[in-house]
Amino acid sequence: MKTELELSECDSLAFDWQGERRLFIGVAPSAQQQQTLNALLQQLQAPLQPVKPTNLHLTLLFLGQSSAAQTELLWQQLKTQQLPAFTVLLNQLELWPGPGVYCLTGVLQHRGLMQLDIQLRQAALQAGFLPPQHALRPHITLARKAKVLPAAAPQPPEVLLAPEKLTLYHSLSTPNGVRYLPLASLPLQR
């Protein structure tokens, strides 16, 4: 099973799985940002349930249940495009009680991120994916099953994401919780 590949090995991945996989496109924080976010996770108090540090990411487009053929069509389209680089400042902590997430958020204001959002949505529609239910709200989920704020909220850090690549992730349910496994990546153009 091709689930634990390193990104360098993933770029030539054949989209050959049977059935469907739960997928999304996102970007990962840098190693230094990962350390900052890990420190923030350690400050979270009950009733929040922090996500696993290895699952920290910013989702650009949630695809949902996806066949290999549909995903390959999407990825081939994206490979032919100039995908713009972007920056986004995440510096506010928010509770979203509807989906039950506590997250570090920012504002969608960088022109590159807005253009990338349009390109990803258009390519997904052309590949037969349903349109997203929500507009892009840049955030990194810190905790799930969050319905109320903790009594003592930590001070939000300032995390300036400037990723060099976007990644196709498989959201895999395991007995030990969900894991986000990278399947393929494409460079962002500066």
Side-chain angles (χ1 to χ4, degrees):
M1 182 188 242
K2 301 175 185 175
T3 57
E4 300 205 24
L5 299 173
E6 295 297 321
L7 277 179
S8 60
E9 299 170 0
C10 294
D11 295 329
S12 63
L13 173 74
F15 295 95
D16 63 355
W17 60 84
Q18 299 297 313
E20 294 185 334
R21 290 184 175 180
R22 187 175 171 91
L23 303 178
F24 65 90
I25 297 172
V27 296
S30 69
Q32 182 179 3
Q33 292 165 341
Q34 182 76 39
Q35 289 177 346
T36 300
L37 293 167
N38 289 349
L40 181 57
L41 290 178
Q42 293 174 3
Q43 296 175 47
L44 299 183
Q45 299 176 4
L48 298 178
Q49 297 179 12
V51 300
K52 293 178 182 175
T54 55
N55 283 349
L56 293 169
H57 69 279
L58 184 141
T59 300
L60 296 172
L61 183 64
F62 179 73
L63 299 169
Q65 294 301 114
S66 310
S67 70
Q70 186 179 34
T71 306
E72 184 171 19
L73 179 59
L74 168 65
W75 210 249
Q76 292 303 322
Q77 286 181 55
L78 293 176
K79 279 182 165 182
T80 67
Q81 298 181 27
Q82 293 283 327
L83 303 171
F86 66 89
T87 60
V88 62
L89 178 63
L90 305 175
N91 61 357
Q92 299 173 15
L93 292 172
E94 292 184 19
L95 173 70
W96 296 350
V101 297
Y102 188 64
C103 49
L104 183 64
T105 66
V107 178
L108 177 60
Q109 61 186 16
H110 191 275
R111 186 175 178 180
L113 181 53
M114 290 185 262
Q115 179 60 39
L116 182 59
D117 181 50
I118 291 168
Q119 287 178 247
L120 292 176
R121 287 170 183 261
Q122 288 175 345
L125 285 173
Q126 290 174 2
F129 288 93
L130 295 174
Q133 295 179 350
H134 307 286
L136 177 61
R137 290 183 66 192
H139 71 282
I140 293 178
T141 299
L142 302 171
R144 299 204 172 276
K145 300 181 182 176
K147 296 297 180 187
V148 296
L149 286 171
Q155 183 69 25
E158 289 196 351
V159 176
L160 181 65
L161 289 179
E164 296 179 2
K165 61 187 166 192
L166 62 81
T167 301
L168 175 67
Y169 288 94
H170 175 198
S171 177
L172 178 66
S173 294
T174 73
N176 296 324
V178 70
R179 293 182 59 203
Y180 301 140
L181 304 172
L183 296 178
S185 64
L186 291 171
L188 296 174
Q189 306 299 316
R190 295 245 171 246

